[in-house]
């Protein structure tokens, strides 16, 4: 119950933030501007619109995480409101869980608005059949953002906003290369192979959430893929938040 209250307050603060409003407006403009690039697509204008719009949803979500998520705890410390919260019988892991849930909810709202705008645009162009594919792609993008948010919350509880943003961005970029690391590990041997496989397993497997290519063709993914991605996101977020909570327990704010 306490975690839900913290989540509600975090969600409300994020929604009221001007940065979030600006990102939503910018996302809507980007989706509309993708139509201007259609003459350059050589007959693939629809695919270009879907691909760029879905990429914008992920990219703008990352921008929200880096600007808002990396300073979630630091903002509370600067306002000194965290002392009032933690002076009560409030477990620190519950505090972090509430923060993650609130920001994740705000990201889901942003992705939902942009995904709806893309769906309406495609319907206006006579491609309403793309709706299921867009819905699945947006859902997977939300899961990806939820995973990155957990990493941002973990770092925000341990470091400064600037370092938290850099660490989060670094893991996001590294997570995009998981498949490449595994492919490279196949052609190596010994300790290097073990090292590459270990790093690939520890990094967030972000390619699992990427179905832009399928959605650009109007194709849906399988139920097994959606279920696996959901389970992976839940487990990864849980592990990251538990790791962050364990380190957050020993942090001294004096």
């Amino acid at each position: 119950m306490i975690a839900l209250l913290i989540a509600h307050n975090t969600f409300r603060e994020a929604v009221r933030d001007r940065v979030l409003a600006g990102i939503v407006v910018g996302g809507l403009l980007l989706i509309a501007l993708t139509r201007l690039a259609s003459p350059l697509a050589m007959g693939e204008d629809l695919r270009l619109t879907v691909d760029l719009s879905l990429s914008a949803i992920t990219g703008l979500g990352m921008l929200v995480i880096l600007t808002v998520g990396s300073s979630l705890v630091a903002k509370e410390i600067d306002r000194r409101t965290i002392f009032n919260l933690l002076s009560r019988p409030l477990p620190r892991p519950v505090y972090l869980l509430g923060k993650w849930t609130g920001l994740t909810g705000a990201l889901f709202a942003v992705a939902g608005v942009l995904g709806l705008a893309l769906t309406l645009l495609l319907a206006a162009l006579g491609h309403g059949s793309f709706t299921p594919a867009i819905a699945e792609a947006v859902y997977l993008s939300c899961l990806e953002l939820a995973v990155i948010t957990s990493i941002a919350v973990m770092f925000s509880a341990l470091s400064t906003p600037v370092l938290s943003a850099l660490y989060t961005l670094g893991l996001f970029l590294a997570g995009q290369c998981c498949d490449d690391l595994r492919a490279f590990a196949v052609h190596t041997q010994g300790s290097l192979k073990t090292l590459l496989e270990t790093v690939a397993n520890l990094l967030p497997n972000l390619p699992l959430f990427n179905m832009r290519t399928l959605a650009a063709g109007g194709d849906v993914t399988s139920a097994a893929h959606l279920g696996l991605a959901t389970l992976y996101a839940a487990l990864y977020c849980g592990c990251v938040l538990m790791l962050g909570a364990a380190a957050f327990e020993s942090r001294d704010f004096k």
Side-chain angles (χ1 to χ4, degrees):
M1 186 64 181
I2 299 177
L4 291 179
L5 291 176
I6 297 175
H8 174 72
N9 291 332
T10 304
F11 176 84
R12 186 173 58 183
E13 290 180 6
V15 169
R16 291 178 177 177
D17 198 312
R18 294 181 180 179
V19 173
L20 195 69
I23 286 175
V24 171
V25 173
L28 295 175
L29 290 176
L30 281 175
I31 292 175
L33 289 175
T34 57
R35 298 305 303 165
L36 297 180
S38 57
L40 305 176
M42 302 179 63
E44 296 291 337
D45 55 316
L46 184 62
R47 182 179 293 274
L48 179 67
T49 296
V50 174
D51 199 347
L52 289 181
S53 298
L54 293 175
S55 298
I57 291 175
T58 301
L60 293 174
M62 272 300 301
L63 187 58
V64 173
I65 293 172
L66 295 178
T67 55
V68 179
S70 59
S71 61
L72 274 180
V73 178
K75 186 185 298 184
E76 297 281 0
I77 296 175
D78 291 339
R79 295 175 179 174
R80 307 192 70 82
T81 55
I82 194 171
F83 298 101
N84 295 329
L85 288 172
L86 298 183
S87 63
R88 301 176 180 179
L90 172 64
R92 294 190 181 189
V94 174
Y95 171 79
L96 289 186
L97 177 62
K99 286 293 184 181
W100 171 79
T101 304
L103 183 56
T104 299
L107 289 169
F108 271 53
V110 171
V113 170
L114 298 181
L116 178 60
L118 176 58
T119 301
L120 293 176
L121 175 61
L122 295 179
L125 296 173
H127 298 283
S129 59
F130 277 61
T131 299
I134 298 300
E136 291 182 356
V138 171
Y139 172 70
L140 290 175
S141 295
C142 288
L143 293 181
E144 179 180 11
L145 293 175
V147 170
I148 301 300
T149 301
S150 68
I151 294 174
V153 170
M154 177 186 68
F155 285 133
S156 72
L158 305 176
S159 187
T160 62
V162 174
L163 290 178
S164 298
L166 291 176
Y167 294 153
T168 302
L169 179 61
L171 282 180
F172 171 76
L173 296 176
Q176 303 290 343
C177 304
C178 280
D179 289 345
D180 295 331
L181 287 176
R182 291 189 179 92
F184 184 61
V186 173
H187 302 287
T188 59
Q189 295 179 350
S191 58
L192 179 59
K193 179 177 182 178
T194 303
L195 176 62
L196 291 175
E197 290 177 343
T198 302
V199 171
N201 290 330
L202 291 177
L203 290 173
N205 186 14
L206 301 184
L208 177 64
F209 307 107
N210 184 359
M211 65 164 288
R212 289 192 295 270
T213 302
L214 279 177
D219 300 320
V220 297
T221 188
S222 64
H225 179 201
L226 292 175
L228 178 62
T230 302
L231 180 60
Y232 176 84
L235 291 176
Y236 198 92
C237 289
C239 291
V240 171
L241 290 174
M242 285 191 294
L243 181 62
F248 190 51
E249 285 282 4
S250 60
R251 181 172 179 180
D252 187 4
F253 298 106
K254 296 181 180 180

